[in-house]
């Protein structure tokens, strides 16, 4: 019955194929945009230099260190360093 | 200075050529001097949609190679005298176009036209890049469907990084979303991405929504751009696009399913 169908269909709204499509697109587009925003050329060298300075004072393995340059809205760029410190801080 | 507008999409078959023809003719009907350029080297369809295929003597590549002058290659539209078409070649080498020689042709055209509308080939390679390189504005033609939306986003990436404006650090290309082959009924049934969905994902301003319409096939059969079918839904939707391109604010139409009577809604049909 059409009237019944009408209400049943309303309930199903959340799981339509269109909403699935939107969700998938949002993920893939965000991912592709991220990888498109190429990192600047100086980043590898900067990473190397920062690591060398840090290693004068503390033990840092390659795995416990990450560096990221993110473009935020507008003209704002954020350089993000992540360093995991382990128990023995000092190298000497 | 001429406004250079590229009609682009990434994905093929979404309505770029249909839209280029409608928009070019629509702008000319408003009294502007317009030249439509077919960048789809090798395929050449714009002349067919414009209904001037039998008048093609020389083409874009002939002009590039110095085998013909621009004036020899340009075809004057029979309906609107302020509109010209520069057809693509059918068989020639796609690599004939480069930034330098295309730039020269556009510069020359810019002296005598108000609008240069570039119909882009599909893809995100050299051909599409050439069509968008010199653009001031881009009409990103998109169908409410996953692969088309994703390709449109890739084109947005190219506009922002590979265009002349991006390379010279000028003001970015003005982006417009043109949603085509839209079916409000299927959207209502949850089978098709809605205007809002696509706007959310691509986040660029909406220029128009063209409904899926039988008038488009009729128009291409006749070689009369659909904007001339002033009684059709697609024709009206393209009219609105023209108004918006010329700076008017026009309400969006054809976004809702046409209302049925209350009885048929309750009892089916
Ligand atoms: N609004 C529409 N309604 C129905 N069919 C359409 C519509 N827009 C385009 N088409 C059809 O889709 C096909 C591809 O259109 P076309 O303009 O050639 O796309 P493209 O240039 O992007 O490859 C054609 O058969 C055309 O008639
Ligand atoms: Mg085409």
């Amino acid at each position: 019955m059409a009237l019944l169908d009408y209400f049943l269909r309303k309930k199903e709204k959340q799981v339509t194929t269109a909403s699935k499509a939107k969700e998938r697109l949002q993920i893939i587009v965000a991912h592709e945009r991220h990888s498109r925003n190429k990192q600047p050329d100086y980043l590898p060298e900067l990473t190397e230099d920062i690591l060398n300075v840090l290693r004068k004072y503390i033990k840092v393995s390659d795995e416990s260190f990450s560096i990221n340059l993110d473009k935020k809205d507008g003209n704002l760029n954020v350089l993000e360093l992540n360093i995991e410190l382990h128990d023995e801080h000092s190298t000497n | 200075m001429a406004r250079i507008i590229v009609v682009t999409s990434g994905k093929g078959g979404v309505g770029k050529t249909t839209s280029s023809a409608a928009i070019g003719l629509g702008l000319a009907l408003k009294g502007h001097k317009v030249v439509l350029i077919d960048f789809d080297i090798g395929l050449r369809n714009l002349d067919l949609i414009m209904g001037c295929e039998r008048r093609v003597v020389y083409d874009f590549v002939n002009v590039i190679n110095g085998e013909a002058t621009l004036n020899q290659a340009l075809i004057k539209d029979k309906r609107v005298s302020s509109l010209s078409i520069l057809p693509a070649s059918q068989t020639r080498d796609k690599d004939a176009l480069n930034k330098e020689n295309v730039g020269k042709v556009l510069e020359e055209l810019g002296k005598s036209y108000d609008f240069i509308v570039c119909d882009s080939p599909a893809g995100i390679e050299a051909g599409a890049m050439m069509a968008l390189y010199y653009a001031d504005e881009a009409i990103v033609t998109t169908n409410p469907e996953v692969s088309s939306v994703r390709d449109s986003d890739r084109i947005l990436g190219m506009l922002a990084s590979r265009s002349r404006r991006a390379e010279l650090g000028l003001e970015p290309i003005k982006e417009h979303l043109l949603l085509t082959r839209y079916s409000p009924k299927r959207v209502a049934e949850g089978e098709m991405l809605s205007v809002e969905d696509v706007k959310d994902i691509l986040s660029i301003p909406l220029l128009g929504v063209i409904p899926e319409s039988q008038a488009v096939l009729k128009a291409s059969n006749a070689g009369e751009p659909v904007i001339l079918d002033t009684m059709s839904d697609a024709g009206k939707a393209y009219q609105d696009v023209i108004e918006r391109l010329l700076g008017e604010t026009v309400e969006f139409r054809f976004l809702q399913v046409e209302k049925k009577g209350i009885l048929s809604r309750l009892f089916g049909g």
Side-chain angles (χ1 to χ4, degrees):
Chain A
M1 206 197 146
L3 187 59
L4 198 61
D5 283 351
Y6 179 75
F7 287 110
L8 283 178
R9 212 184 299 153
K10 274 237 146 150
K11 268 201 164 166
E12 288 169 13
K13 260 271 154 65
Q14 286 84 0
V15 288
T16 59
T17 57
S19 58
K20 253 186 225 162
K22 184 181 186 186
E23 197 185 313
R24 290 171 56 220
L25 270 170
Q26 278 171 324
I27 293 165
I28 188 69
V29 163
H31 177 79
E32 287 177 349
R33 278 185 191 170
H34 188 79
S35 45
R36 265 207 308 265
N37 287 337
K38 244 187 37 205
Q39 304 284 16
D41 299 335
Y42 60 75
L43 205 64
E45 224 175 312
L46 176 68
T47 308
E48 197 58 35
D49 285 352
I50 292 177
L51 264 174
N52 285 336
V53 173
L54 285 169
R55 283 179 178 147
K56 278 192 191 169
Y57 306 93
I58 48 181
K59 223 183 223 165
V60 190
S61 65
D62 286 346
E63 298 81 48
S64 58
F65 176 84
S66 71
I67 183 166
N68 211 352
L69 191 77
D70 250 347
K71 277 207 172 74
K72 303 282 180 208
D73 293 350
N75 293 323
L76 190 66
N77 286 334
V78 175
L79 182 69
E80 197 183 39
L81 287 184
N82 246 307
I83 310 150
E84 254 176 62
L85 295 180
H86 298 282
D87 281 338
E88 337 91 87
H89 291 175
S90 169
T91 46
N92 32 4
Chain B
M1 270 250 288
R3 278 166 75 176
I4 304 179
I5 303 178
V6 62
V7 180
T8 183
S9 73
K11 190 167 158 54
V14 297
K16 289 180 296 295
T17 300
T18 304
S19 300
S20 300
I23 291 168
L25 193 74
L27 288 169
L29 283 169
K30 288 279 184 179
H32 298 284
K33 288 188 184 164
V34 182
V35 58
L36 265 171
I37 306 181
D38 191 347
F39 271 84
D40 204 348
I41 307 298
L43 286 180
R44 184 164 117 192
N45 276 321
L46 186 62
D47 53 340
L48 211 53
I49 300 301
M50 293 301 296
C52 64
E53 70 280 2
R54 293 178 54 193
R55 294 165 61 211
V56 176
V57 183
Y58 295 110
D59 59 56
F60 197 1
V61 175
N62 289 136
V63 175
I64 293 280
N65 292 342
E67 295 151 0
T69 65
L70 254 178
N71 276 333
Q72 287 175 309
L74 286 171
I75 303 171
K76 247 193 180 359
D77 191 88
K78 286 227 163 114
R79 294 153 295 215
V80 197
S81 63
S82 62
L83 176 64
S84 301
I85 296 119
L86 184 56
S89 62
Q90 207 142 25
T91 51
R92 283 161 190 267
D93 188 9
K94 281 186 181 181
D95 303 327
L97 305 187
N98 61 44
K99 283 180 194 170
E100 203 193 336
N101 57 31
V102 170
K104 275 191 195 141
V105 171
L106 293 182
E107 196 184 324
E108 189 63 32
L109 290 170
K111 291 178 193 159
S112 22
Y113 290 91
D114 306 320
F115 288 91
I116 301 175
V117 178
C118 307
D119 181 18
S120 174
I124 51 172
E125 282 95 45
M129 213 277 280
M130 262 341 306
L132 68 77
Y133 186 74
Y134 288 98
D136 301 307
E137 297 174 48
I139 297 179
V140 180
T141 312
T142 308
N143 291 166
E145 171 270 320
V146 283
S147 54
S148 173
V149 175
R150 180 202 211 170
D151 286 357
S152 289
D153 191 66
R154 291 172 168 158
I155 283 292
L156 291 176
M158 282 180 70
L159 293 171
S161 64
R162 314 257 321 262
S163 62
R164 171 180 159 273
R165 282 175 173 272
E167 284 183 2
L168 300 182
L170 302 173
E171 194 184 318
I173 292 177
K174 190 168 173 190
E175 301 156 339
H176 306 278
L177 173 60
L178 181 65
L179 201 55
T180 53
R181 312 201 66 164
Y182 194 68
S183 168
K185 182 166 178 286
R186 303 193 67 189
V187 172
E189 285 164 358
E191 293 175 6
M192 185 182 267
L193 291 163
S194 70
V195 183
E196 294 305 320
D197 291 339
V198 180
K199 265 173 65 185
D200 278 356
I201 294 160
L202 295 178
S203 38
I204 59 173
L206 185 64
L207 175 68
V209 180
I210 313 298
E212 171 77 23
S213 168
Q214 308 199 334
V216 173
L217 182 58
K218 270 197 244 166
S220 70
N221 285 343
E224 300 275 346
V226 70
I227 200 164
L228 291 171
D229 187 351
T230 52
M231 296 307 283
S232 69
D233 47 1
K236 287 175 186 166
Y238 277 117
Q239 282 296 344
D240 293 352
V241 165
I242 299 300
E243 300 293 334
R244 294 188 194 104
L245 276 175
L246 297 174
E248 302 296 323
T249 308
V250 186
E251 231 183 281
F252 289 92
R253 298 191 264 180
F254 314 111
L255 302 187
Q256 305 299 330
V257 188
E258 266 169 54
K259 290 204 173 59
K260 287 194 206 165
I262 180 81
L263 284 180
S264 66
R265 276 224 256 160
L266 286 180
F267 299 107

